[in-house]
Amino acid sequence: MIADNGVYGVAATAPGTFALTGTGVDARPERPPYDLPIEGATVTYSSVRGPGLPAPPGGDVRVVTETGYDGAFAVIDVPATRRGTCYRMTVVAPGVGRYESVDVISPGVYDQSIELDGGLQVENPLLPLHTAGKASALERACARTSRSSD
């Protein structure tokens, strides 16, 4: 599939896995009035362990990639349980900023755009995921996990 910004996104992933296509842009206030793509940012997905958090099929997962010249990145065929698996995502662009999120991710295909603004941004963009403001036990357990030290 192709997104509005011209970046090709992952359209399918293997059963029992998730895929994510994303873009990272430089949104620092001192930049031009448009967001420049960030090339060479490190993007890491790591499964999170903890009470109430099922491990992904096959055990712990850590996937690392980099953004391309257009700020795009993708992960594909990352294991996730049917109910969802807790993953920490970090995006590190030296001199531009750092983004962290902890989310429950179920099998499927996703897309995400990240704006780095010069500092540390911590988000839980998918929480609460399912029940109109009422997080599941898995979502609450995932949200309680501590931030990364990547």
Side-chain angles (χ1 to χ4, degrees):
M1 88 181 164
I2 189 164
D4 292 338
N5 64 358
V7 173
Y8 286 89
V10 175
T13 190
T17 70
F18 75 89
L20 180 132
T21 303
T23 56
V25 296
D26 186 341
R28 292 177 291 173
E30 66 274 6
R31 300 299 301 171
Y34 51 89
D35 297 332
L36 298 170
I38 300 170
E39 182 176 2
T42 302
V43 180
T44 306
Y45 264 92
S46 301
S47 57
V48 178
R49 287 180 173 248
L53 299 176
D60 290 337
V61 174
R62 181 177 167 90
V63 177
V64 181
T65 190
E66 284 191 358
T67 57
Y69 73 93
D70 55 0
F73 64 92
V75 295
I76 189 169
D77 295 339
V78 181
T81 64
R82 185 176 47 79
R83 286 185 12 196
T85 300
C86 186
Y87 276 94
R88 176 177 290 113
M89 174 190 190
T90 59
V91 179
V92 178
V96 181
R98 179 183 177 105
Y99 171 91
E100 296 183 6
S101 69
V102 177
D103 304 307
V104 174
I105 304 177
S106 299
V109 176
Y110 303 92
D111 60 72
Q112 184 172 11
S113 180
I114 298 167
E115 296 180 352
L116 298 178
D117 63 8
L120 169 63
Q121 295 159 252
V122 180
E123 296 184 32
N124 289 329
L126 300 180
L127 297 174
L129 184 62
H130 297 102
T131 54
K134 295 181 182 178
S136 70
L138 177 58
E139 291 166 327
R140 287 190 303 272
C142 186
R144 283 193 300 267
T145 62
S146 63
R147 289 203 326 245
S148 163
S149 61
D150 289 342

